[in-house]
Amino acid sequence: MLKLKEILFLKNIKGFGKKTIYMRYFDDLMRADSIESLKDIVRSKDKHITDEELLRAEQKAEELVEQINENKELEAITVYDELYPKQLEAMKMDRPLVLYVRGNVDALKGNNIAIVGTRKPSEWSIKVEDRLVKKIMELSDRVIISGLALGCDKIAHETTVKEKRKTVAVLPSGVNVITPASHKKLAMDILETGGCLVSEYAPNDKAYKTTYVERDALVAALSDIVLAIECEESSGTMHTVRAADKYGTPVACYYKEGTDRPEYSGNKLMVQSYNATKIMDTEDLEKLFQQSRKKMVIEEEGKQLTIEDFLNETMKNGLGD
């Protein structure tokens, strides 16, 4: 929790969002040895901010740090911590300054795949998703990531939990405010099977319209692959797809050749405009994981591998492990 109190102090100053802190105070945060010294820096850079405002921000930061320290199942990971997921660097100044994790922090490590889609999937898509999620777990040890929303998100988490595997739920609210409330039991099941709840918002914060879009972006950034099951062009799922495209996260989607059904219009758009990999059956998943494994091995630690090294690495790890 490096610099947690200092970050929370800045975040609680009116008008100080992520971009302001990254652009104007990120280096100062590392240099400041106390809240008092950070106050002096704020006074010099933003002279319109009063001492009363600074005192209120400090008090709010202290209260939140106390809440975090009292909750033994909650971890606050700052952007300065070693535990902070490196893949979030792709978000640049949109990346969370603090990640709140309830449950098993280790679930954020290793290979993963995001499963996303509409809140109202067709009966066919429900069957397809259940089959694909089970196949993913059969092929690999990947952690399933989703947003705990209704529909496709719920199916992804529930199927994973039933198989006693790890899944990560990224929330548009604080991790103590399960959203939607109807998924409280599912959230507890996720924790009991070794997964975790993740949010960039304070533990007791409620969800707002804008936080759903930010949640979708965080899902995309945390994931090695984003797999969409079903969505229309206007679906909120496209927020995740567009964010994945921006961050360089590979996108795949269920795609049946020749379909023009409106409920899959988003899937069609992904293939046409976002270079999404078509997943028509479980064999396509195997190919997707092979490609992803090859990419990870070649890029591992930025080193150059010979063909012999690559083949040895692939045989040692096995398909999709």
Side-chain angles (χ1 to χ4, degrees):
M1 296 192 295
L2 286 174
K3 298 292 180 177
L4 176 61
K5 185 177 177 182
E6 289 85 351
I7 290 172
L8 295 178
F9 164 67
L10 290 179
K11 281 171 64 69
N12 278 290
I13 297 174
K14 187 177 180 180
F16 277 37
K18 285 183 286 190
K19 284 187 171 65
T20 296
I21 295 172
Y22 276 121
M23 289 177 66
R24 304 186 65 226
Y25 287 96
F26 193 67
D27 293 335
D28 296 323
L29 274 166
M30 284 303 294
R31 288 195 294 265
D33 57 7
S34 67
I35 293 291
E36 289 305 317
S37 64
L38 198 51
K39 283 182 182 179
D40 290 337
I41 294 170
V42 174
R43 289 188 186 103
S44 66
K45 287 188 172 184
D46 289 282
K47 294 180 173 59
H48 66 282
I49 296 174
T50 66
D51 286 344
E52 289 77 10
E53 289 178 287
L54 296 177
L55 179 59
R56 282 197 297 270
E58 182 181 14
Q59 290 171 340
K60 288 180 180 179
E62 288 174 347
E63 290 171 5
L64 187 48
V65 169
E66 187 176 349
Q67 289 176 24
I68 293 166
N69 289 335
E70 288 176 352
N71 191 336
K72 301 303 180 186
E73 66 173 9
L74 179 65
E75 182 92 39
I77 303 172
T78 76
V79 70
Y80 299 106
D81 288 328
E82 287 187 14
L83 281 174
Y84 190 86
K86 297 294 185 285
Q87 59 266 44
L88 296 188
E89 291 177 4
M91 299 180 78
K92 299 180 181 178
M93 286 188 290
D94 288 324
R95 68 191 188 279
L97 286 152
V98 183
L99 270 186
Y100 299 95
V101 182
R102 183 177 170 189
N104 180 17
V105 176
D106 288 342
L108 291 173
K109 301 176 182 177
N111 299 338
N112 61 54
I113 181 169
I115 310 292
V116 296
T118 178
R119 285 172 167 77
K120 297 180 179 180
S122 63
E123 288 188 19
W124 177 252
S125 287
I126 291 172
K127 294 176 182 177
V128 166
E129 180 173 3
D130 182 71
R131 182 181 175 210
L132 288 177
V133 173
K134 286 178 179 176
K135 189 64 177 180
I136 288 169
M137 289 184 281
E138 177 188 324
L139 287 171
S140 72
D141 60 358
R142 289 175 186 270
V143 172
I144 303 296
I145 295 181
S146 201
L148 202 67
L150 300 170
C152 289
D153 288 19
K154 180 185 179 184
I155 295 165
H157 293 305
E158 281 187 337
T159 303
T160 309
V161 164
K162 287 176 184 175
E163 297 294 319
K164 306 297 182 185
R165 295 280 291 272
K166 296 175 186 175
T167 179
V168 172
V170 184
L171 303 183
S173 56
V175 293
N176 291 337
V177 184
I178 305 305
T179 305
S182 60
H183 286 178
K184 286 183 179 178
K185 184 182 182 304
L186 176 56
M188 296 307 103
D189 290 341
I190 288 171
L191 297 178
E192 289 174 8
T193 51
C196 66
L197 312 178
V198 179
S199 175
E200 64 174 292
Y201 310 108
N204 296 321
D205 281 0
K206 295 179 181 179
Y208 295 92
K209 187 175 182 180
T210 56
T211 63
Y212 285 92
V213 178
E214 291 174 338
R215 182 274 310 275
D216 293 343
L218 187 55
V219 168
L222 280 171
S223 305
D224 297 329
I225 301 169
V226 169
L227 172 59
I229 303 299
E230 173 193 331
C231 78
E232 296 183 5
E233 285 188 47
S234 59
S235 169
T237 299
M238 294 305 298
H239 293 142
T240 307
V241 172
R242 285 190 285 269
D245 183 64
K246 179 180 178 180
Y247 304 145
T249 304
V251 175
C253 66
Y254 172 67
Y255 189 84
K256 189 174 181 180
E257 290 287 1
T259 183
D260 285 317
R261 294 169 61 179
E263 60 264 40
Y264 292 104
S265 60
N267 299 47
K268 187 174 182 179
L269 179 64
M270 289 176 222
V271 172
Q272 293 177 340
S273 301
Y274 293 94
N275 197 32
T277 301
K278 301 176 187 177
I279 303 296
M280 287 180 276
D281 52 42
T282 55
E283 289 183 5
D284 291 329
L285 269 181
E286 295 185 31
K287 294 175 185 176
L288 177 67
F289 287 170
Q290 281 179 315
Q291 293 167 359
S292 135
R293 161 58 60 186
K294 180 177 180 179
K295 183 175 185 292
M296 283 188 291
V297 170
I298 291 175
E299 292 182 350
E300 182 185 5
E301 297 178 358
K303 64 183 180 182
Q304 296 293 319
L305 296 181
T306 65
I307 294 297
E308 183 180 0
D309 288 334
F310 169 70
L311 291 174
N312 288 336
E313 187 73 14
T314 303
M315 292 176 65
K316 180 177 71 175
N317 287 292
L319 176 62
D321 288 344

